[in-house]
């Protein structure tokens, strides 16, 4: 028995998804998971091939419509199943059976994006706590088969807009240098400056606010 997820996904969507591919992909990319068993289970109560809706790692659950010669079933609750022919499931497979059938598919799910904030004292020097976080960020990036990293620099409202645009960019670049020095190897790294245009803590101009002196790091 074999659980199949992404490799057969496009074919499955064309057969059973009522909307467009572009409508379904975001749902799947948000880690709503379903899979198809392609071979006989050997259990009399388990259909030859079926779809099961599983929750994403963050606990959210999407919806899948299974349509076939025998009808149409809407799966919108975690653990719901339906045979591929669209008929109603006579008896849902036991959780242990689902876990066994879809073990490979679940293991192959992409990890959810993670986000970090690191803070600065003055200039481009990280605070000690934030500097200590750098190795953890690199470890997280290394745990992914293909990783994209986004680094966005920010400032507080001290100084002019032009000054802060450059300072925020320098902060983002400084963080990238630290990550690379610790062994970061990413498919792509994007670096942006938001200057003082995107404050974490809203303040008037010329206000010192350490929580706004930050860099956001997103790993996907």
């Amino acid at each position: 028995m074999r659980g199949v997820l992404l490799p057969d996904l496009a074919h499955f969507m064309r057969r059973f998804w009522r909307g467009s591919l572009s409508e379904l992909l975001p749902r799947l990319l948000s880690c709503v998971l379903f899979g198809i068993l392609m071979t006989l289970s050997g259990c009399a109560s388990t259909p030859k091939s079926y779809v099961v809706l599983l929750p994403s790692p963050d606990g959210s659950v999407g919806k899948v419509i299974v349509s076939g010669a025998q009808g149409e079933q809407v799966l919108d609750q975690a653990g719901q199943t339906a045979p591929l022919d669209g008929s109603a499931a006579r008896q849902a497979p036991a959780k242990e059976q689902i876990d066994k059938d879809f073990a490979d598919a679940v293991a192959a799910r992409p990890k959810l994006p993670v986000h970090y904030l690191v803070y600065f004292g003055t200039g481009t020097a990280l605070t000690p706590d934030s500097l200590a976080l750098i190795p953890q960020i690199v470890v997280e990036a290394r745990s992914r088969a293909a990783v994209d990293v986004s680094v966005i620099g920010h400032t507080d409202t001290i100084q002019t807009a032009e000054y802060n645009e450059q300072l925020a960019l320098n902060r983002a670049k400084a963080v990238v240098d630290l990550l690379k020095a610790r062994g970061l190897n990413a498919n792509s790294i994007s670096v942006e400056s938001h200057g003082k245009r995107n404050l974490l803590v809203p303040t008037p101009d010329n206000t010192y606010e350490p929580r706004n002196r930050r860099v956001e790091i997103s790993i996907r």
Side-chain angles (χ1 to χ4, degrees):
M1 182 174 296
R2 178 170 69 93
V4 179
L5 183 63
L6 294 177
D8 296 306
L9 202 53
H11 172 70
F12 174 78
M13 288 187 291
R14 292 189 186 97
R15 288 189 61 190
F16 299 105
W17 180 253
R18 290 297 183 84
S20 66
L21 199 64
S22 62
E23 291 173 326
L24 181 56
L25 277 175
R27 294 169 182 263
L28 298 175
L29 292 176
S30 66
C31 295
V32 173
L33 173 67
F34 68 94
I36 311 167
L37 290 183
M38 302 302 292
T39 58
L40 288 168
S41 69
C43 176
S45 62
T46 304
K48 293 180 179 180
S49 301
Y50 68 97
V51 176
V52 59
L53 184 64
L54 301 179
S56 68
D58 66 4
S60 61
V61 178
K63 182 170 71 175
V64 173
I65 299 174
V66 182
S67 181
Q70 302 301 317
E72 178 177 289
Q73 305 299 322
V74 178
L75 310 183
D76 57 7
Q77 296 181 24
Q80 278 188 305
T81 63
L84 281 181
D85 61 8
S87 61
R90 295 179 179 177
Q91 181 178 348
K95 182 179 182 304
E96 291 76 14
Q97 185 67 47
I98 293 174
D99 291 344
K100 178 183 177 183
D101 293 345
F102 289 89
D104 291 343
V106 170
R109 286 187 301 183
K111 297 180 71 173
L112 291 176
V114 293
H115 309 280
Y116 298 91
L117 286 177
V118 292
Y119 298 93
F120 296 78
T122 59
T124 59
L126 284 170
T127 63
D129 286 347
S130 292
L131 187 59
L133 190 59
I134 294 297
Q136 178 182 328
I137 297 171
V138 173
V139 169
E140 175 60 36
R142 283 179 169 176
S143 71
R144 296 165 185 257
V147 60
D148 295 323
V149 180
S150 167
V151 182
I152 302 175
H154 302 268
T155 70
D156 60 18
T157 59
I158 299 292
Q159 297 287 353
T160 66
E162 293 76 12
Y163 179 91
N164 283 318
E165 284 293 326
Q166 187 60 52
L167 176 57
L169 182 61
N170 291 343
R171 285 174 174 170
K173 289 179 177 178
V175 168
V176 171
D177 289 343
L178 283 171
L179 293 172
K180 287 182 175 179
R182 292 284 186 160
L184 175 67
N185 184 18
N187 283 7
S188 68
I189 301 176
S190 66
V191 178
E192 296 180 51
S193 169
H194 286 190
K196 61 178 181 179
R197 293 175 286 120
N198 187 11
L199 301 174
L200 183 63
V201 180
T203 68
D205 251 354
N206 297 313
T207 302
Y208 171 81
E209 174 49 66
R211 289 171 292 180
N212 287 332
R213 299 181 170 198
R214 71 197 193 278
V215 160
E216 301 175 32
I217 305 162
S218 299
I219 298 177
R220 300 181 178 83

